[in-house]
């Protein structure tokens, strides 16, 4: 996982899909929210940023090609993703 626009400082995120689906009865929006919460809590890059508890909250997720991921089930194991705090995709420096 990388911050939008960056190719440095990647962080590995472990997300237990089975556990995250408990209690939400197939609500894809709620599942995506839980995934974004997991990503936000795993960030090292945002520790000094503004927001609750000194962090910015991840709002969107993109693939390397800039496609937005809106369903957690579309993610692939070991996939590189880029987090956004609401802004549109910014190509990572040095990759494109």
């Amino acid at each position: 996982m990388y911050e939008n626009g960056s190719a440095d400082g990647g962080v590995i995120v472990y997300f237990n899909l089975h556990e995250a689906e408990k209690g939400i009865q197939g609500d894809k929006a709620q599942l995506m929210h839980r995934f974004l919460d997991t990503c936000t809590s795993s960030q090292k890059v945002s520790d000094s940023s503004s927001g609750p508890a000194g962090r910015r909250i991840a709002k969107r997720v993109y693939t390397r090609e800039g496609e937005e991921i809106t369903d957690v089930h579309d993610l692939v194991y070991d996939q590189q993703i880029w987090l956004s705090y609401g802004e549109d995709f910014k190509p990572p420096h040095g990759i494109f």
Side-chain angles (χ1 to χ4, degrees):
M1 170 183 76
Y2 299 91
E3 187 169 349
N4 196 17
S6 177
D8 299 324
V11 176
I12 296 173
V13 175
Y14 297 99
F15 184 70
N16 187 325
L17 184 59
H18 179 70
E19 286 295 316
E21 289 179 319
K22 288 183 178 178
I24 60 171
Q25 289 81 30
D27 184 344
K28 290 183 180 185
Q30 180 70 22
L31 184 60
M32 189 64 179
H33 183 71
R34 287 182 179 183
F35 176 72
L36 291 169
D37 284 347
T38 299
C39 291
T40 297
S41 66
S42 299
Q43 294 172 349
K44 293 179 183 177
V45 293
S46 66
D47 286 341
S48 61
S49 302
S50 61
R55 293 179 177 235
R56 293 188 289 171
I57 308 299
K59 302 283 186 203
R60 298 165 80 183
V61 180
Y62 295 98
T63 65
R64 173 187 289 259
E65 294 77 26
E67 295 176 31
E68 186 170 4
I69 298 169
T70 57
D71 186 341
V72 172
H73 293 102
D74 292 339
L75 290 166
V76 178
Y77 179 77
D78 209 25
Q79 181 176 10
Q80 292 180 327
I81 58 172
W82 278 261
L83 288 185
S84 159
Y85 306 101
E87 72 276 9
D88 290 336
F89 179 72
K90 299 176 199 170
H93 302 294
I95 289 185
F96 295 102

